[in-house]
Amino acid sequence: MATFTERMAPVLVLWLAVCLSGTWAVDRGNFKTCDQSSFCKRQRALKPGESPYRALLETMELTNTRLTLQLINDNNKVRLLLELYRLQGNITRVKINELKPLKPRYEVPDVLVREPPTEPLSVLSQDENGVVLSLGAESQRVIVSARPFRLDIMEGHDVLMSLNSRGLLAFEHLRMRKDTQAEPEAENKEEADSANQAETAKEEEEKVEEGMWEETFKSHSDSKPNGPSAVSLDFSLPGVEHVYGIPEHADTLRLKTTDNGDPYRLYNLDVFQYELYNPMALYGAVPVMLAHNTKRTTGIFWLNAAETWVDISSNTAGKTVFGKMLDYVQGSSETPQTDVRWISESGIIDVFLMLGPTPKDVFSQYASLTGTQSFPPLSSLGYHQCRWNYNDQEDVRSVDAGFDEHDIPYDFIWLDIEHTDGKRYFTWDPHKFATPKEMLQGLLEKKRKMVAIVDPHIKVDSNYKIHNEIRSRGFYVKNKDGGDYEGWCWPGSAGYPDFTRADMRAWWASMFAYDQYEGTMENLYTWNDMNEPSVFNGPEVTMHKDAMHGSWEHREVHNLYGLYVHRATAEGLIQRSGGVERPFVLTRAFFAGSQRYGAVWTGDNAAEWDHLKISIPMCLSLGLVGISFCGADVGGFFKSPSSELLVRWYQTGAYQPFFRAHAHLDTPRREPWLFGPENTALIREAVRQRYTFLPYWYQLFYQAYRTGEPVMRPLWVEYPQDPATFAVDDEFLIGRDLLAHPVTEEGSRGVTAYLPGKDEFWFDIHTFQKHNGAQNLYIPVTMSSIPVFQRGGSIIPRKLRVRRSSTCMENDPYTLFVALNTRRSAEGELYIDDGHTFNYEKKEFIHRKLSFANNVLSSVNLAPDAQFTTKSWVERVVILGASKPGKITLKTADGEESQLDFEFDASMSVLTIRKPGMNAGEDWKITLK
Amino acid sequence: MHLLLIVAAFLCSGTVEARKVRGISSSYKRFYRERKSFLCIDGSKMIPFEQVNDDYCDCADGSDEPGTSACPRGRFYCTNLGFRPHYIPSSRVNDGVCDCCDASDEYNSHTRCQNTCWNLGQKERAYVEGQMRTLDEGLRLKQRLIEEGVLLWREKQAQLRELQQAAEDLQVKLEEHRRRKHEADQLKEQTIKSLEVGKDGFRPQNTSVTSLFQLLDNNKDGSISVDEVKAKVVLVHDEKRVLSEDEALVLLGGGREMDLTKFRHTLWDILTRGDNVKIKDGAPGGPANEDPHLKEADRAAEWEATSLRKVEEAYETVNMEISDLQKKLDIDYGTDWEFLFLSGQCYKLQVYEYNYTLCPFNQVTQKSTTGTEVSLGMWGMWAGPPKNHYSQMVYENGEPCWQGGSRTTTVTLTCGTETGLRSAKEPSKCQYIMDFQTPVACQPVLKQRGVHSEL
């Protein structure tokens, strides 16, 4: 929906108008560079190869679950405690904290789904230079080197990953402020340890750099009462040239090296009109990076919620293909290697090394730590119609009617901030939305739903119940002086509830009860925007870092705030139905673990072709780190799309997980039927295609919920050994079996899609034409083209009776698309449940394996202990790449056999089996003779 | 009622074919006669008749499944007895949403649909009747407004002609006044000139000599005395000093008295030359100002100038009125000038916190309760579709919007018995739409619409 300034008071509007008249882009000056963020500048100034840290091997303790070891900084004698855990599922956890911090340092709670179960570690060998530990069953070892301290994780003879190999471990210990000199004892104790060295060490320590104890940015000052507290660690990834992840950035899928610019920044910010292809921070942050080469995929999860910067460098980055080849031919080259360095402003080092070896192993490793994508209601995978704003109930009614008139399906219509009574969330404008239940009932009768926005900034207004409650319960975030923190946002002066408090979240959740949130019904869902949090008059449009959440500074929890808002809201929606119904909540800010609470979108993009293109890598990057339910505003939020761009965006969005059109208040209307009958037809067709694939999307989301595998995937995830796929981000896979290369170029006459897999066939889903894998295929396109291919070897269940909403299609029959591979076989799955409750957790679902081999197509139960009945049946089977059979018979569960009619299209080798008619939940077998 | 009976009878007689084939209109029944096979209506394929409405799509045109949802582009016919029959997309058959008022689309779904056709029909009939009444009334009013419009048009034309006549008359008058002013100015000039000539030795006119004599002859006894000279005549170089007895005597040519004849030949010359003595300031009129001819000429010139100005102003006003009126008359008020009566009127409507004002053919404004008034556009043009050109007005170039462009308002005119604003909305920023009801928007063509029932 909305960023900063553009909805602001006239003064700002004027100011903005001036800004906008120049270039149309982010005002970079509003946001910090590494140089302007004192800890980043300090840390980045460190030189590699001068690590002052030494492991004190004699302090090593090994229990069944962990190894601990002290590290000492030889410059200042401050000791750190290293903890090393071997976690189940091939994960190694490394935690580093101060041995005796002046006060506790923040450790991120509520992100891990549980205390990760450990596996035993054992010492293989030890001498004065280091220790070799065995990492469980696989031939993996950790080598702890003492001087300087360094960790190497080995498998066989290969180094998978090294920590502090460049000596950039840095841990700014908490200290007393020198100019106050209140209690110098703490320092004295340290000095007592050693004699001479301590003197010089103290000298060094006392060098108080600018920005350590106070920092200003623009007109904002950060009081930093705890002084410097940054942590940093480097990781070397030998043999790796491709790293991914650490969203959210508007950048390519493959991360770039950062030597010549700023590091990638992770700090949740409301960036007005963000720029593309740069490492600036955006609305959300997931500190997870994946590294991949043809042999292995690994991941690094840096669990820290403070402002974080990530530097990436590579020894091959600058080299041309020819240069690399020359290296190879001459055999002289060093192994390619990527070095990564994480720098966080505060907290501790708590890092999870996910050691793969396959991409799917990494997904499940990460899922075991932070959970999987919540299983969304089926309807939320349909099309969403949003705009800032639908003005009143009559407007909603007429847009709803427009979809029926133009025969375009949709499931959700959305209301942005103007629906409230003066930006007081949980209320309705008394004139424009005087009878919300009537409106919701009208939608319900058409089996459609609505989303209304609830932002976390609360209008300071003593006549507003929500504000009064939060204030009287002391639930607001406090400023550094102990008063309620106030910032400027849509309602004007606003307070920010402290969502880090469990009691606050419980109270917030209770506000979604039907008797609390008046005018709501079961088909109203929620949208959390502005939860970075956005503070119009705060530093970098967010909260002051010295604001207080209980005893913790905002600095410590910043990137977590949005996750907590999302969580409390999702819990509210669950609770209002007594735990029966699945929630649907969209969030703009997120963190590791946000996948457990719902969907995210890529924020306030723009109606530009490059923004359409970037939607692919942005959602792919999110999928890699667990957040599958991702989408970009179709059409672009700011500015007005040409009809060509709008159509192309619908065609792209129809094949991305979260499919919502949205538009800025100042743009002209753009409901799908406003661009002439031809474009209406093109948009209708794109949306209809989406609805035919809903069974497949739903099954993929079930899979994502079960395994953590992304729904929308980069090609390399399925073709990890094909380097040609490693940097592809203009096309993507949906699950394993669909490949989409949407048209994202203006005036395009054709696209070149890379079809992966040496032994694969790819079938055009529209024409059924078969193409071989491992080729670049030129596809001529017209305005109606959406290049999408089904993988040979797959079976995709679809529902071809597209109706006005997904709920209307609940009992519809399936058509099975069976695409044969070179071995003339295929496999797929079919998942069915009620589509909206948590009853699937009680084993109320149908999960079947569909397979075709030896001319027999059969359905077998994948979950024999689950129970569910469906009215849906199989109306048609389409076999792609088939040959003509003599006859076809069906054998159903009760043993009855019958002959089936079929048609065969010899030109495309398509066999269509007419109306087999068996129930989709039963066992059956179709034999081609 | 008759209609129903006929329909019922028809249905009874046609049961054999009609029962089987769901979702078709009577005009399509001929395609669905029970035979062995069925030919898709587009002729593309022949299928066994059992496959009609068997919930599987065989025909590319969807014609084999008129009563199910099986075909993607199929359509289902709601008979809607008692109401209006219509087609719905076949995707709405058995989707759990009641679409046909006779509930025929939900013959196999959980949703219990009521047959609401009769109610709807009644409502529709009442509505249509209402509409018809409105239309009749509207058309009647429209006729009157057209007549009024024609009259108004004629009136305005007459007004224009009058104004033009007035302008012509004024033009003539203007010429006349210009001439007269010119003459008066000339006369004035001449008078001044002649006075100046007199100073240079020319005999001033009798009246002038006489008037000066009379001025000096205070007691009006026909002669000027020493005292009278002392009272009115002073030295040019020493105005303050009263003349002495002797000096007065000298001026009177040595005598104590001087009559008009003697004055004309002696003192008059001295005074008009003005070298040594002159008439005391404050005494009315020097020889020049004093001159009644000049005074008169001056007054006349001034009078003529004022008159001319007045005529000129009147002329300008009339011309302005003419151009205003012409501008107004240049606007397209419809083929019969039926919209002319709206000109000069304003219509108001309050929507939420805003007061909207539409002044047709002039402007649209919005005033918020906080008080600021914003222009939503000035009269632009008619913008209806070609066959109904007068159904939409556009007002443009209102207050600029900060994202660029300016506010515009599109006003849609609908038929009603009263003239007024019915709604005002802002669907997109700075794009306003209004619904304006007026009898003159009533079109006779509407009358053909009504409730049909399928036979």
Side-chain angles (χ1 to χ4, degrees), chain B residues 355-408:
Chain B
N355 253 310
Y356 293 90
T357 306
L358 165 67
C359 304
F361 306 109
N362 182 9
Q363 60 167 350
V364 185
T365 57
Q366 178 200 54
K367 195 168 184 226
S368 72
T369 41
T370 53
T372 47
E373 190 170 71
V374 172
S375 165
L376 305 186
M378 309 301 294
W379 164 249
M381 62 198 147
W382 290 103
K387 65 174 182 185
N388 198 2
H389 185 55
Y390 298 107
S391 62
Q392 224 167 52
M393 297 169 154
V394 172
Y395 293 79
E396 50 204 8
N397 299 319
E399 204 102 330
C401 303
W402 78 271
Q403 284 264 0
S406 58
R407 286 166 173 78
T408 61

Side-chain angles (χ1 to χ4, degrees), chain A residues 578-590:
Chain A
V580 173
E581 298 288 328
R582 290 175 227 168
F584 171 74
V585 184
L586 178 73
T587 181
R588 193 171 68 184
F590 50 82

Side-chain angles (χ1 to χ4, degrees), chain B residues 74-100:
Chain B
R75 52 182 200 163
F76 179 89
Y77 185 78
C78 308
T79 306
N80 288 351
L81 216 56
F83 186 53
R84 214 177 323 115
H86 67 106
Y87 283 101
I88 58 169
S90 62
S91 66
R92 291 177 200 176
V93 174
N94 293 325
D95 68 344
V97 181
C98 306
D99 290 287
C100 306

Side-chain angles (χ1 to χ4, degrees), chain A residues 91-160:
Chain A
I91 305 168
T92 296
R93 180 182 193 177
V94 177
K95 239 172 130 169
I96 303 173
N97 196 349
E98 286 181 63
L99 182 64
K100 286 175 185 162
L102 206 54
K103 57 196 249 187
R105 297 180 66 120
Y106 189 72
E107 299 188 31
V108 176
D110 298 318
V111 166
L112 300 179
V113 284
R114 55 180 171 169
E115 196 49 45
T118 56
E119 283 178 350
L121 283 163
S122 57
V123 175
L124 291 176
S125 66
Q126 181 174 6
D127 62 17
E128 73 280 9
N129 296 320
V131 186
V132 181
L133 298 160
S134 159
L135 288 176
E138 315 174 39
S139 62
Q140 283 180 7
R141 288 154 293 145
V142 181
I143 301 169
V144 184
S145 308
R147 188 186 292 266
F149 163 70
R150 165 183 175 136
L151 288 176
D152 292 278
I153 297 174
M154 310 277 299
E155 186 173 294
H157 296 293
D158 295 332
V159 178
L160 302 183

Side-chain angles (χ1 to χ4, degrees), chain B residues 182-200:
Chain B
H182 184 69
E183 282 171 10
D185 285 348
Q186 264 186 338
L187 181 63
K188 186 178 155 189
E189 236 167 81
Q190 265 173 19
T191 312
I192 291 169
K193 252 188 212 150
S194 68
L195 280 176
E196 276 165 5
V197 167
K199 269 188 203 167
D200 292 344

